[in-house]
Amino acid sequence: MLYSGGDRNNHFYTHSLLESHQLPKSKDDFFLPPQLHSDGDRGDGSVKYILTGDGAGTLFKIDEKNGDIHATKRLDREEKAFYLLHAKAINRFTNEALEGESEFIIKIHDINDNEPRFTKDPYIASVPEMSDIGTSVIQVTATDADDATYGNSARVVYSILEGQPYFSVDPETGLIKTALANMDREVKEHYQVVIQAKDMAGQMGGLSGTTTVSITLSDVNDNPPRFTKTLYEFRVNESIELGSTVGVIRAMDADVGENAEMEYRIMSSDGPGMFDITTNRSTQEGVIVLRKPLDFERKRQYSLRIQVENVHINPRFYAKGPFRDDASVKILVEDVDEPPVFEHSSYTMKVREDAPRNKIIGSVNASDPDDKNWTVRYGRLIRLKSVYHVPVVISDGELPVQSSTNTLTIRVCTCDREGNMKLCNAEALTARAGLSTGALVAILLCVIILLSECVIVVLFAALRRQRKKEPLIISKEDVRDNVVSYNDEGGGEEDTQAFDIGTLRNPEAIEESKQRRDIVPETFYPPVRRPPPAPARDNNGDVRDFINQRLQDNDSDPTAPPYDSLATYAYEGSGSVAESLSSLESATTEGDQDYNYLSEWGPRFKKLADMYGGDDSDRDS
């Protein structure tokens, strides 16, 4: 009997083999114990073992001498979980079967060699904004190719890697839910969530896979419409056609799609039925259109109250309302130049053919709807302007119609109580010459501007002439106060109380009758002649006499220069040892002065004593 190991009772054998990630390094790496053995095998090498079936010769080989079975390649349970083989033993020399054929099943046991894989990558999902916590978003699924019935190799656990704190995932089912309340689409609309699936029940060493879930917050009507301004103002000509657009207003809504759809309506107006408002569905704008004709002379402005409201309102967000807003609209009507209009489209007048010349046969009535224009009614002129040019068309009633056209110029003048014309205004008088009021105003402005320019030129010339006025001293050598004279007997430049500095600057301007400021004029107090002083006893008497005389002469002279003062020339007083050395004390001749005293003054004056102190005979020699 062919058996495996000690099992001799069955011809059907089952062996288990673990799948491997690597190729075998030797022939013993995939040995499947126990080996096959026949009862007729005596160990003499006469028995030969043969293996057939799934993978025989390629994946599995048998040692024909001893019956050992080996795997030659990596076995992957995910490709094939078991193999069915057949084995037999024959005589090597006669090829006769020693045993009946036996069947073998080799089962591949699973190992954790496959990571979890998600069915999609990425996932796309959306959830309404402002959803409650725990609102389901999407369920993700990961599969593991390992054997789910063997160990934890295929047991997957889900976790969130990115996307907190906004979303969470159920670890067992992979269901993604909202984890934060009041998520506002107007604040953030798109989120990227990364989900991980890990086998081995999430334990250490397990394999993992990831996927990205792109979640978008869908819009809900949680924002009311709001006007950008509280007052809108539009201007429109009175001649605008009915049904034309007067103005366009728009309210802003932060929502999108149908949640931003709005409806406009006129709540009140001081011109009932004059205007209507419609909604432009593509732009969500309110379009104001004209329903009745405008007349500037009748009404110049209109006031409307406009309301806007969302079309689709979510009752869940009533607390955020009201979902409407109001605004004021002012429509200003602008005037256009309109032609005069007759009261009737046609007039019929009858006159006898023998009627005298200049007989009044009837009258027509016309009016101009515009204002600063005119109105003719029943042949009476209401004064609103000074000059009018009225076209007159006269036609007969026979066929063919004969007509004539002319222009009537009407000039408004001032009249007295009796109706006599007194004076016509300037506009009427200049109308014949072709000058309008605007032209007269322009001419008057030009004249005023020219006169203003002349006045400016005259003032400018006067200022220039004043700036070019010649100075008091014309001389180029004018040094003003910088020149100090030292040949006078006055007090010098420090004596500022006894004379006028202007006189020094311009001597030519001195008037002959100008009086001195520091003395009493001679005309009121004649000069007093003082008696000559007594002769001095010392050698300085002649100096004092000289100074006193000069002082008296200057005090009594009203025309003398006003810078005189007492000046001392090397005079040290009567108590001085050297007395005075001034040459003013010298006599008129050298012989009148005795210089012998110089020899008594010491060695410093020896030279002078030698020169002047000798006898007359010495000097003559």
Side-chain angles (χ1 to χ4, degrees), residues 389-591:
H389 300 282
V390 183
V392 179
V393 180
I394 303 174
S395 62
D396 55 21
E398 300 296 331
L399 294 176
V401 177
Q402 302 294 330
S403 63
S404 176
T405 304
N406 203 341
T407 301
L408 175 63
T409 302
I410 302 176
R411 178 162 51 93
V412 180
C413 302
T414 304
C415 301
D416 56 15
R417 295 183 177 180
E418 287 75 18
N420 300 321
M421 184 179 68
K422 296 174 59 178
L423 179 64
C424 288
N425 56 26
E427 183 180 12
L429 294 176
T430 56
R432 297 181 180 178
L435 294 177
S436 62
T437 304
L440 288 175
V441 173
I443 294 174
L444 183 60
L445 289 176
C446 292
V447 172
I448 294 175
I449 292 174
L450 290 175
L451 291 177
S452 301
E453 291 179 353
C454 293
V455 172
I456 293 174
V457 171
V458 171
L459 291 176
F460 182 75
L463 292 175
R464 292 290 299 273
R465 184 177 302 174
Q466 184 176 2
R467 292 179 180 178
K468 293 182 179 181
K469 186 175 180 181
E470 292 296 334
L472 293 176
I473 300 179
I474 305 178
S475 173
K476 297 181 181 179
E477 305 262 339
D478 179 21
V479 290
R480 302 290 174 100
D481 295 341
N482 294 331
V483 177
V484 180
S485 178
Y486 294 98
N487 59 352
D488 60 78
E489 298 177 5
E493 56 185 352
E494 295 181 356
D495 188 4
T496 59
Q497 301 296 327
F499 58 88
D500 184 9
I501 193 66
T503 305
L504 296 178
R505 293 180 178 175
N506 191 6
E508 297 179 359
I510 300 178
E511 299 178 2
E512 294 181 0
S513 61
K514 186 175 181 65
Q515 302 296 326
R516 290 184 58 177
R517 297 183 180 180
D518 55 341
I519 63 173
V520 180
E522 185 180 2
T523 55
F524 298 97
Y525 300 96
V528 179
R529 295 291 182 179
R530 298 188 180 98
R537 296 181 180 179
D538 53 15
N539 295 331
N540 298 323
D542 53 347
V543 175
R544 286 194 296 270
D545 293 342
F546 173 78
I547 293 175
N548 290 332
Q549 183 62 36
R550 290 299 301 271
L551 178 61
Q552 182 179 359
D553 293 340
N554 283 279
D555 288 343
S556 62
D557 186 6
T559 62
Y563 42 80
D564 58 299
S565 62
L566 181 62
T568 303
Y569 298 96
Y571 178 64
E572 300 182 3
S574 58
S576 175
V577 177
E579 295 183 345
S580 177
L581 297 180
S582 175
S583 60
L584 296 176
E585 295 183 351
S586 303
T588 55
T589 61
E590 295 181 358

Side-chain angles (χ1 to χ4, degrees), residues 95-331:
N95 291 328
E96 293 180 359
L98 300 179
E99 301 287 350
E101 186 178 78
S102 299
E103 188 176 73
F104 293 87
I105 296 177
I106 299 177
K107 184 177 181 180
I108 309 301
H109 283 184
D110 183 49
I111 63 172
N112 188 19
D113 60 342
N114 292 280
E115 70 276 4
R117 295 182 182 271
F118 285 94
T119 57
K120 293 182 181 180
D121 188 20
Y123 287 84
I124 306 297
S126 65
V127 63
E129 62 174 332
M130 313 300 292
S131 296
D132 295 331
I133 297 178
T135 302
S136 298
V137 180
I138 192 174
Q139 185 175 13
V140 297
T141 302
T143 60
D144 197 314
D146 295 325
D147 189 1
T149 62
Y150 182 78
N152 292 327
S153 298
R155 185 180 177 185
V156 177
V157 173
Y158 299 94
S159 62
I160 183 168
L161 299 182
E162 295 181 13
Q164 303 96 337
Y166 307 103
F167 301 95
S168 63
V169 64
D170 188 290
E172 300 293 334
T173 63
L175 180 61
I176 300 176
K177 302 177 182 179
T178 58
L180 189 66
N182 300 325
M183 287 190 293
D184 193 353
R185 184 198 68 86
E186 288 73 35
V187 176
K188 186 176 182 180
E189 184 176 5
H190 301 286
Y191 296 84
Q192 295 291 332
V193 179
V194 178
I195 302 296
Q196 174 184 265
K198 191 174 183 180
D199 60 15
M200 297 297 292
Q203 298 176 5
M204 184 76 69
L207 303 178
S208 63
T210 60
T211 187
T212 301
V213 183
S214 180
I215 301 177
T216 301
L217 297 183
S218 59
D219 185 61
V220 298
N221 190 11
D222 60 338
N223 293 281
R226 290 290 180 261
F227 283 108
T228 57
K229 297 189 296 184
T230 58
L231 176 62
Y232 295 84
E233 184 174 300
F234 303 102
R235 295 179 179 270
V236 60
N237 291 333
E238 62 175 337
S239 61
I240 187 174
E241 297 181 357
L242 298 182
S244 300
T245 300
V246 175
V248 177
I249 61 177
R250 183 181 181 184
M252 304 303 296
D253 194 323
D255 299 322
V256 295
E258 67 175 13
N259 297 318
E261 292 182 1
M262 56 193 74
E263 191 74 34
Y264 297 86
R265 62 178 63 93
I266 298 177
M267 303 302 295
S268 63
S269 172
D270 58 358
M274 290 293 298
F275 305 95
D276 195 7
I277 188 168
T278 60
T279 303
N280 187 332
R281 291 304 176 189
S282 60
T283 61
Q284 299 302 319
E285 294 175 333
V287 182
I288 304 175
V289 295
L290 180 67
R291 293 305 182 197
K292 292 183 180 180
L294 297 174
D295 190 352
F296 175 81
E297 289 70 32
R298 185 173 61 88
K299 190 172 178 59
R300 301 187 178 185
Q301 75 174 29
Y302 294 87
S303 296
L304 290 76
R305 191 70 180 175
I306 306 295
Q307 184 181 85
V308 63
E309 185 177 15
N310 277 138
V311 177
H312 307 283
I313 301 177
N314 192 335
R316 179 187 172 194
F317 301 102
Y318 276 153
K320 293 179 174 290
F323 286 80
R324 66 178 66 93
D325 196 16
D326 295 342
S328 299
V329 176
K330 180 183 292 185
I331 300 175

Side-chain angles (χ1 to χ4, degrees), residues 331-345:
I331 300 175
L332 303 178
V333 182
E334 295 184 340
D335 188 26
V336 296
D337 190 9
E338 300 174 286
V341 179
F342 285 97
E343 290 187 353
H344 304 286
S345 59

Side-chain angles (χ1 to χ4, degrees), residues 4 15-18 27-36 60-61 67-71 75 85 106-108:
S4 176
H15 293 276
S16 297
L17 178 67
L18 290 176
K27 66 177 182 179
D28 297 329
D29 287 346
F30 293 107
F31 174 69
L32 302 178
Q35 73 275 18
L36 297 179
F60 304 102
K61 288 185 179 182
D68 294 339
I69 299 174
H70 299 272
L75 301 179
L85 298 174
I106 299 177
K107 184 177 181 180
I108 309 301

